[in-house]
Amino acid sequence: MNMAYFRNLALFGAFIVGYFCPWASHLNWMIRWLIVGMMFMVMLQVRFSMRSIKWNHLYILLANVAVGMGGWGIFMLFGQRELAEVAFFTGITPTATAAPVIVGLLGERIDFAVSAFLATNFGMACLFPFLIPVAIGDPAPTVFFDVIKSLLIVVGIPLLLAIPVRKFYKNYRELPKKLKNVSFFAWVIAIFLIIANASQFLRGQQGSIDTHLLWKIALLSAAICFVNFYFGRFIGGRRYRREASQVLGQKNTTLTIFLALTYANPLVALGPTFYVIWHNAWNACQLQMRAVREKRKRLRAELLLRPHGGRH
């Protein structure tokens, strides 16, 4: 079986198996460390410099704020507080730690994605203490420190591990290529655990959640996902079109699920939880389309090299 097809099958399998394994929610502590491992591979591939910071990264950060606060404001105008909070926590989510991994699998510039991850996560860490009280109407003085602590783990540990490897191992750049499949399947396991966690919550709340409201949350989350991936292409311009679309669309939902559970309620947390399905489904489609394009290129190359039926 073609490796690209196998990857997509594994990705969709993670959704299905995760839903039917709610007991796996007890293993959700593994998600953070799986991401640490993936980020370690990313750190080996990227050189940090001021040249990697672009104006596009500021625009992506502002887009996070605009989508989150804009969605919140619209629903508040219509008196829909729960949907307003769903829109806020879903739209305000910064770039996912796994985004550079997917950008790499898509053959695009990883350094742009890493810089976007750092800019949006640290930027939102500074803004969360001010924005969350506005959205929920209650002060949240510990949010800043919670987010910084999380970022220090998922970014600081991989960075500290990567420094000696880059210094003392000459062929360090070859490691991510050799372990590319390991990184991908770490991501698949993380998705499985996130879906299992969502399944556990839904089963526990069965009968107490309005089905219509559940559908509204799912559709709102899908709409925000579409907006992010679509308008991210314009933010990136011609040079970073795909990269900007990916880093604005692929969200660090584990962070905002935690924040929604801590400062809002489990129903609001379903917004970023549904988003996990939408952005990973689009990632699977993108990987599939890339595999098809690569296959066509190989076929064209083979046709050009093939002798013309013995003609002279």
Side-chain angles (χ1 to χ4, degrees):
M1 182 185 290
N2 185 290
M3 190 60 190
Y5 290 102
F6 183 75
R7 283 176 177 170
N8 291 333
L9 184 63
L11 188 60
F12 285 115
F15 292 135
I16 297 169
V17 177
Y19 178 78
F20 289 104
C21 297
W23 54 266
S25 62
H26 298 295
L27 301 174
N28 61 6
W29 57 269
M30 293 174 57
I31 296 171
R32 176 178 292 178
W33 300 108
L34 288 167
I35 292 173
V36 167
M38 290 187 288
M39 282 304 297
F40 171 69
M41 294 300 168
V42 171
M43 296 299 180
L44 291 178
Q45 299 179 72
V46 178
R47 288 186 176 182
F48 297 98
S49 69
M50 290 303 295
R51 292 182 180 180
S52 64
I53 303 298
K54 312 292 181 184
W55 279 105
N56 308 80
H57 295 122
L58 174 60
Y59 301 149
I60 291 167
L61 174 61
L62 293 175
N64 277 320
V65 178
V67 172
M69 293 304 297
W72 175 82
I74 291 171
F75 283 102
M76 285 299 290
L77 285 175
F78 292 95
Q80 301 288 325
R81 173 165 283 279
E82 283 186 324
L83 289 178
E85 292 182 2
V86 168
F88 171 79
F89 281 102
T90 306
I92 208 75
T93 312
T95 300
T97 50
V101 178
I102 304 304
V103 168
L105 291 171
L106 292 172
E108 306 300 339
R109 299 172 181 85
I110 294 177
D111 57 337
F112 182 93
V114 172
S115 297
F117 165 75
L118 294 172
T120 58
N121 279 270
F122 281 107
M124 292 313 303
C126 295
L127 294 173
F128 274 140
F130 305 101
L131 298 179
I132 288 179
V134 172
I136 65 175
D138 289 317
T142 62
V143 174
F144 179 82
F145 299 103
D146 289 337
V147 175
I148 290 297
K149 180 181 176 181
S150 177
L151 290 172
L152 286 175
I153 292 173
V154 299
V155 179
I157 291 177
L159 180 60
L160 290 175
L161 291 174
I163 290 172
V165 173
R166 292 171 66 121
K167 185 175 180 62
F168 298 109
Y169 183 61
K170 292 182 180 180
N171 297 323
Y172 69 87
R173 290 185 182 274
E174 298 300 318
L175 278 178
K177 295 178 183 178
K178 293 178 180 179
L179 300 176
K180 181 171 66 174
N181 291 331
V182 175
S183 183
F184 175 80
F185 285 107
W187 178 52
V188 170
I189 294 170
I191 293 170
F192 161 74
L193 293 173
I194 290 170
I195 298 300
N197 194 52
S199 176
Q200 174 68 20
F201 171 73
L202 289 173
R203 291 168 192 268
Q205 297 293 318
Q206 197 168 20
S208 63
I209 296 179
D210 182 0
T211 305
H212 294 293
L213 179 59
L214 199 63
W215 276 106
K216 288 178 181 178
I217 292 172
L219 291 174
L220 174 57
S221 179
I224 292 172
C225 185
F226 171 80
V227 167
N228 286 330
F229 275 106
Y230 182 77
F231 286 101
R233 298 168 70 87
F234 297 98
I235 293 174
R238 290 185 178 181
R239 188 174 182 184
Y240 302 108
R241 191 176 184 184
R242 290 183 179 178
E243 293 89 342
S245 172
Q246 191 64 38
V247 298
L248 183 60
Q250 190 171 352
K251 297 292 194 180
N252 187 6
T253 49
T254 51
L255 175 62
T256 43
I257 289 170
F258 160 74
L259 293 174
L261 288 171
T262 303
Y263 301 109
N265 58 66
L267 192 64
V268 172
L270 284 178
T273 300
F274 276 120
Y275 197 98
V276 175
I277 299 173
W278 310 135
H279 79 169
N280 283 303
W282 176 237
N283 286 341
C285 291
Q286 290 185 102
L287 291 172
Q288 179 63 42
M289 290 186 288
R290 174 174 168 76
V292 170
R293 288 195 299 268
E294 292 297 320
K295 185 176 181 180
R296 287 175 179 172
K297 286 181 182 179
R298 288 196 300 271
L299 289 174
R300 283 197 294 267
E302 289 174 4
L303 288 172
L304 290 172
L305 294 172
R306 186 179 299 172
H308 298 283
R311 293 181 183 177
H312 298 286

